[in-house]
Amino acid sequence: MKLKRKQTHQLQKSRQQMNSSNQELDSTVVGRKHKAMLPFLMQMRLEDASDEYTELTKKVFKGIENLSRLREEDIEIGSTPREVVYREDKLILYRFQPIVEQPLSIPVLIVYALVNRPFMVDLQEDRSLVANLLKLGLDIYLIDWGYPTRADRWLTLDDYINGYINNCVDFIRTKHGLDKINLLGICQGGTFSLCYSAIYPEKVKNLIVMVTPVDFQISDALLYMRGGCTVGAEALDIDLMVNSLGNIPGDFLNFEFLMLKPRQLGIQKYLDFPEIMHSEDKLLNFLRMEKWIFDSPDQAGEAYRQFLKDFYQANKLIKGEVMIGDKQVNLGNVCMPILNLYAEKDHLVPPKSSIALEKYVGTNDYTVLSFPVGHIGMYVSGKVQRDLPPVIANWLNARAD
Amino acid sequence: MEKETNSWSGMADQLMKTWTEVGTQAWKSWFDLMGLAARNPIADTKPGMESINQRFVENQELLLRLLKLSFNTWQDIFPKVESGEDWQYSLKNYTEQLRSQVDDFSKGTLKVNQNAAELWQLYIKEMQKFSQLWANALGASMGPLSQAAVTRTSQPWIELNNLYWNLLYEETFGSLMQIPLLGPTREFNNKLLGAFDGWTKLYRASIDYQILLADIQAQSFEELMRELISLAEKGEKVKDWRQFQELWGRTADEVFEKAFCSEENLKVRGRFLNALNNYRLDQQELVEVWMKTMNMPLRSEVDEVHKSIYELRKEVKNLKKTLAKYEAQAQANPPTPEKPPTDEQQ
């Protein structure tokens, strides 16, 4: 009760201050005979402005109250029950607990990118691609790459693709007594899955790629520009960077991603923060996204070197020139059914880059589908959460024989 | 007119300060990254509520200041649009003021660059901070041992740098820069001067990058004003702060995107990144000299050990796979047991 009284007093005080500052501004501007001409602020009446600020102050108070109650564990990401079924070095393979009695007999292995934690596919109970797929009768495995340390700086793409992914696939094949399983590759994980499917087509039943870069040299794409593709080492000397840093810090990559849209990603969203912080649900959503975005593992130096040089700078994937260890990647070998999902407003992986896949793969069963969202919207948008899981489940069910 | 020009100049000055601050924050992020390499990467990449709040507060404050400034500018320009005056001239004049601030900034820093003595002084100061960072990290990781190793005094690197400050700068700086190096500290001196050269290049490259960022900010601001005028001319109103912010965010990011598709700008940014990475390599070499004298494991040695472990681990995995393959084969085709020799054979 005391608090309430105090808040009311503070609100009244801030309202008075606001009125007084508005009057001050008003008199200055009116004095200059600009009132009728000045833009937005003058199009709002003083009462309206005052009310708006009072409302905002109320929201901020409520937000602070919400914030003070929250703890780190309240914004834990990854809520669907799962168990560890395989470990290798820092990699952990999870199996999510199936929730239907007889899930689809061919399980799906989700291969996520190295640049963020994989739990974006299981952000929270009501926004979880994994939970929705489980409800639709799928049996889901997920690779968690872990956090590479300096001891992992020598890991190459050979280790990730011919090593870790292959071992996980073999583990699942053995466990289920299958020759082939389904792969779902997301973003950079989609590129890895394509390489894997080209090298081991006999182990992949169906391949789904989601917001996956294929043609890396899309001229108006920002990441392509920043990767120094047009200028080379003068724009970004990958060798120097890896030699100097060992592993590439996750925070550096975050900074680079923010710099693609510095004002909208670095500033704008924090200004919107007071508008949502009064609602505990919205606040939790925001904080979970923040946690996911800034919880970025470092990149193993050698793997980063090859990915940037071969894929971004030399665009070797579509030329059939990528070597993963001693194995050449020929996308023509990807003969299994493919479902290619991309985001129409993706500024990280431009649609053109994903759509290009059709030209290079050897399959006759190719489906492409887009959603009117951005890169992150593919995981968190309510509409996509509703529409995407049935698309995946139906497509896989139709190809289960 | 005179009054308005002064007003623009004042605002341009404030804007420049704010933009420089943005540049400084970018710098700080980089140096934080450098520091992270010496600490526990897992703990440091997990931000808690504190860092989220901090980020929020910093950005909020910065943007509110920019909003205020941009609103003031708009107040100056808009009446000219309404009264049919030459607003384009006003806007041009205003952005020229901004650019002249950028020029002043550039000239000022280049002047510092030309003064080698002053630059050396700056370098030593930076080195002291850098040394402290390393000593702290070592102290934290090695505990009492490191305390013994540093003879229980303040950070040994600071002393070492002070020593070299006296030797190299105050007494013999000029000549040492010119002649081949001599004496038992020849290698260290060589590395120290090499790092100085690297730092000078980084200093210059960072100034270029900051100037580039400031120029892009000026362009984005000009574009925002054009957008506001264009909307006003169409009779479309910007209704509230939120709409204003959204407009600004979109406009500024579009300018930023275009600017960084330019090859020349990418090279400026590349020179900064490359200089930063080169300087880091120089730093590592210097640190290794000191660690060697303290009989501590070197970064390069640890990397070598890691590489050996990595290769061994890979080999063991391959051997295990091969072994498992042969074991599976053996299980599938068990060898026919040898018949015991018959009496006749015996």
Side-chain angles (χ1 to χ4, degrees):
Chain A
M1 192 63 192
K2 265 185 181 175
L3 186 66
K4 276 191 177 173
R5 228 179 272 133
K6 193 178 171 189
Q7 281 180 351
T8 315
H9 177 68
Q10 280 171 323
L11 286 175
Q12 281 170 347
K13 199 176 164 189
S14 59
R15 194 173 176 142
Q16 281 164 5
Q17 282 172 346
M18 197 53 68
N19 277 334
S20 118
S21 65
N22 274 327
Q23 277 162 9
E24 195 182 309
L25 182 62
D26 194 40
S27 64
T28 318
V29 177
V30 173
R32 288 160 67 187
K33 298 183 182 175
H34 291 164
K35 184 180 176 184
M37 305 170 198
L38 279 175
F40 52 92
L41 195 63
M42 291 302 103
Q43 291 163 6
M44 295 172 76
R45 289 181 306 148
L46 285 179
E47 294 81 10
D48 293 341
S50 173
D51 284 346
E52 186 183 309
Y53 278 91
T54 308
E55 280 307 308
L56 185 66
T57 312
K58 273 186 200 169
K59 286 177 182 171
V60 169
F61 276 130
K62 179 71 185 158
I64 289 169
E65 197 183 310
N66 282 336
L67 267 175
S68 64
R69 270 207 315 272
L70 292 174
R71 294 292 174 268
E72 188 68 21
E73 53 269 24
D74 296 321
I75 55 168
E76 274 306 309
I77 295 170
S79 55
T80 307
R82 59 179 190 252
E83 60 168 333
V84 177
V85 290
Y86 174 77
R87 280 178 190 272
E88 184 181 345
D89 304 332
K90 295 193 172 72
L91 171 144
I92 296 174
L93 179 65
Y94 289 105
R95 184 188 189 189
F96 289 92
Q97 199 177 311
I99 54 173
V100 296
E101 274 197 17
Q102 282 195 317
L104 188 70
S105 59
I106 308 168
V108 180
L109 171 63
I110 298 181
V111 182
Y112 199 77
L114 301 174
V115 289
N116 286 108
R117 302 287 289 142
F119 300 107
M120 176 43 89
V121 293
D122 187 29
L123 194 61
Q124 63 192 51
E125 204 177 344
D126 58 342
R127 290 203 289 178
S128 166
L129 176 66
V130 165
N132 287 326
L133 291 175
L134 290 172
K135 280 179 206 161
L136 293 167
L138 298 188
D139 190 355
I140 309 278
Y141 287 83
L142 171 74
I143 293 177
D144 176 359
W145 300 111
Y147 296 88
T149 60
R150 185 81 185 201
D152 301 305
R153 69 165 290 191
W154 307 105
L155 285 175
T156 60
L157 292 184
D158 177 32
D159 297 304
Y160 279 102
I161 295 170
N162 290 319
Y164 296 136
I165 295 180
N166 194 32
N167 293 341
C168 289
V169 170
D170 284 347
F171 173 85
I172 300 168
R173 286 167 66 230
T174 309
K175 186 179 171 77
H176 290 261
L178 294 166
D179 288 335
K180 297 178 175 189
I181 63 161
N182 295 323
L183 269 190
L184 167 52
I186 299 176
C187 191
Q188 184 191 32
T191 312
F192 286 2
S193 300
L194 276 170
C195 294
Y196 182 79
S197 304
I199 298 172
Y200 305 94
E202 72 281 3
K203 296 184 187 181
V204 183
K205 173 82 176 161
N206 299 297
L207 172 65
I208 302 170
V209 286
M210 196 166 134
V211 287
T212 292
V214 178
D215 181 349
F216 285 79
Q217 297 201 347
I218 302 298
S219 56
D220 54 353
L222 283 174
L223 277 182
Y224 157 71
M225 296 300 300
R226 298 294 171 82
C229 302
T230 50
V231 188
E234 271 188 278
L236 192 64
D237 189 336
I238 306 292
D239 287 325
L240 176 62
M241 182 171 268
V242 175
N243 295 344
S244 148
L245 295 169
N247 286 341
I248 305 302
D251 283 350
F252 164 70
L253 294 178
N254 263 330
F255 183 66
E256 287 287 279
F257 288 136
L258 290 184
M259 286 300 272
L260 296 178
K261 287 182 183 284
R263 204 161 296 275
Q264 288 171 65
L265 299 178
I267 299 170
Q268 181 81 45
K269 68 171 184 178
Y270 296 103
L271 281 173
D272 294 339
F273 189 57
E275 289 291 335
I276 56 144
M277 63 196 289
H278 65 286
S279 152
E280 193 168 328
D281 283 348
K282 287 180 182 171
L283 181 62
L284 282 169
N285 286 349
F286 182 89
L287 292 176
R288 281 199 190 97
M289 279 300 290
E290 281 292 281
K291 182 183 170 72
W292 177 78
I293 287 169
F294 293 107
D295 183 7
S296 303
D298 294 347
Q299 301 291 297
E302 293 308 316
Y304 181 84
R305 190 196 304 264
Q306 193 189 352
F307 194 72
L308 264 284
K309 288 179 80 173
D310 284 1
F311 289 75
Y312 265 98
Q313 294 189 333
N315 205 15
K316 287 183 180 176
L317 179 64
I318 58 170
K319 295 176 189 164
E321 293 170 2
V322 165
M323 293 296 293
I324 302 295
D326 58 356
K327 297 178 172 67
Q328 191 165 358
V329 175
N330 175 7
L331 288 179
N333 291 342
V334 184
C335 297
M336 70 287 303
I338 296 177
L339 172 60
N340 185 2
L341 304 162
Y342 68 93
E344 289 162 19
K345 296 173 188 165
D346 198 330
H347 76 288
L348 296 175
V349 179
K352 276 188 206 166
S353 176
S354 300
I355 295 169
L357 180 63
E358 188 176 6
K359 279 190 279 178
Y360 304 102
V361 287
T363 184
N364 293 320
D365 183 352
Y366 177 86
T367 312
V368 62
L369 202 62
S370 71
F371 290 84
V373 288
H375 194 78
I376 307 293
M378 283 295 269
Y379 321 105
V380 297
S381 144
K383 192 174 178 299
V384 177
Q385 282 295 310
R386 191 192 61 209
D387 299 341
L388 178 63
V391 165
I392 293 175
N394 292 339
W395 187 84
L396 285 176
N397 275 311
R399 288 158 183 81
D401 297 332
Chain B
M1 190 67 197
E2 184 60 33
K3 191 182 166 192
E4 282 178 331
T5 307
N6 284 339
S7 160
W8 288 337
S9 174
M11 284 188 288
D13 186 39
Q14 285 179 61
L15 265 175
M16 269 309 300
K17 279 180 189 157
T18 317
W19 287 338
T20 308
E21 203 172 316
V22 174
T24 309
Q25 281 197 359
W27 254 94
K28 189 174 170 296
S29 301
W30 266 102
F31 277 110
D32 286 349
L33 283 179
M34 301 299 110
L36 272 179
R39 299 200 296 272
N40 176 358
I42 297 178
D44 288 329
T45 50
K46 284 184 174 175
M49 296 285 281
E50 197 182 325
S51 63
I52 292 170
N53 289 342
Q54 183 66 21
R55 202 185 296 269
F56 166 67
V57 170
E58 281 172 7
N59 285 319
Q60 178 90 342
E61 196 234 351
L62 197 64
L63 195 80
L64 283 175
R65 277 160 55 196
L66 279 170
L67 274 175
K68 192 178 154 207
L69 290 166
S70 53
F71 181 64
N72 290 343
T73 313
W74 178 233
Q75 279 184 318
D76 272 339
I77 292 173
F78 193 79
K80 292 185 173 60
V81 181
E82 281 289 306
S83 61
E85 283 182 51
D86 186 359
W87 61 265
Q88 286 176 332
Y89 172 77
S90 305
L91 185 56
K92 192 177 159 213
N93 204 349
Y94 180 72
T95 43
E96 271 172 14
Q97 290 284 342
L98 288 178
R99 292 217 164 81
S100 82
Q101 295 285 333
V102 177
D103 285 349
D104 288 348
F105 174 62
S106 156
K107 281 173 199 157
T109 48
L110 282 176
K111 200 176 162 190
V112 174
N113 245 349
Q114 284 157 7
N115 187 339
E118 197 173 341
L119 202 57
W120 178 254
Q121 204 164 355
L122 280 171
Y123 170 65
I124 291 295
K125 277 182 191 164
E126 285 298 326
M127 279 295 292
Q128 283 174 343
K129 282 183 209 163
F130 159 74
S131 314
Q132 200 159 357
L133 177 76
W134 262 95
N136 284 345
L138 280 171
S141 62
M142 301 189 65
L145 183 64
S146 72
Q147 289 305 310
V150 298
T151 63
R152 295 177 192 173
T153 61
S154 59
Q155 313 301 343
W157 258 103
I158 296 173
E159 291 181 9
L160 197 59
N161 281 327
N162 285 336
L163 178 68
Y164 276 90
W165 164 266
N166 294 333
L167 284 174
L168 297 181
Y169 174 65
E170 289 188 349
E171 293 173 24
T172 55
F173 174 75
S175 55
L176 272 173
M177 287 292 280
Q178 302 296 326
I179 62 165
L181 301 173
L182 297 169
T185 57
R186 183 189 182 282
E187 291 306 309
F188 183 82
N189 292 341
N190 193 30
K191 286 182 169 51
L192 191 68
L193 292 177
F196 176 64
D197 187 47
W199 185 81
T200 311
K201 283 176 184 153
L202 171 60
Y203 191 78
R204 188 186 296 267
S206 78
I207 299 298
D208 286 351
Y209 185 55
Q210 285 187 53
I211 290 167
L212 174 66
L213 286 179
D215 190 50
I216 295 172
Q217 293 277 21
Q219 284 175 39
S220 74
F221 198 75
E222 191 177 352
E223 206 49 47
L224 170 70
M225 289 301 143
R226 281 188 200 288
E227 189 77 21
L228 282 167
I229 289 165
S230 161
L231 286 174
E233 283 179 339
K234 283 185 225 162
E236 290 175 23
K237 292 172 182 174
V238 176
K239 288 173 197 148
D240 51 29
W241 284 105
R242 175 178 286 268
Q243 206 182 336
F244 179 73
Q245 289 159 22
E246 279 167 8
L247 183 71
W248 194 14
R250 184 172 49 76
T251 314
D253 285 352
E254 276 170 13
V255 170
F256 203 86
E257 265 181 46
K258 278 182 201 155
F260 269 103
C261 285
S262 132
E263 193 170 307
E264 194 45 50
N265 290 348
L266 278 168
K267 282 182 182 171
V268 172
R269 176 178 168 275
R271 280 198 290 273
F272 170 58
L273 289 177
N274 293 344
L276 195 56
N277 287 320
N278 270 322
Y279 179 56
R280 187 180 159 82
L281 284 172
D282 292 333
Q283 282 181 330
Q284 282 170 358
E285 284 192 26
L286 270 176
V287 169
E288 292 220 338
V289 172
W290 177 72
M291 291 177 90
K292 214 169 179 177
T293 61
M294 301 304 291
N295 203 24
M296 285 178 176
L298 313 185
R299 177 74 266 166
S300 55
E301 287 171 347
V302 176
D303 277 350
E304 204 179 311
V305 172
H306 281 150
K307 192 169 188 185
S308 300
I309 295 172
Y310 159 77
E311 282 164 354
L312 286 171
R313 208 164 57 185
K314 212 168 167 173
E315 205 173 328
V316 170
K317 282 181 189 176
N318 281 334
L319 287 171
K320 275 185 174 175
K321 269 192 178 176
T322 313
L323 186 64
K325 201 170 111 187
Y326 283 119
E327 277 177 353
Q329 270 179 10
Q331 274 183 354
N333 309 306
T336 324
E338 279 182 26
K339 286 179 184 171
T342 59
D343 292 343
E344 284 172 12
Q345 284 171 329
Q346 281 178 341

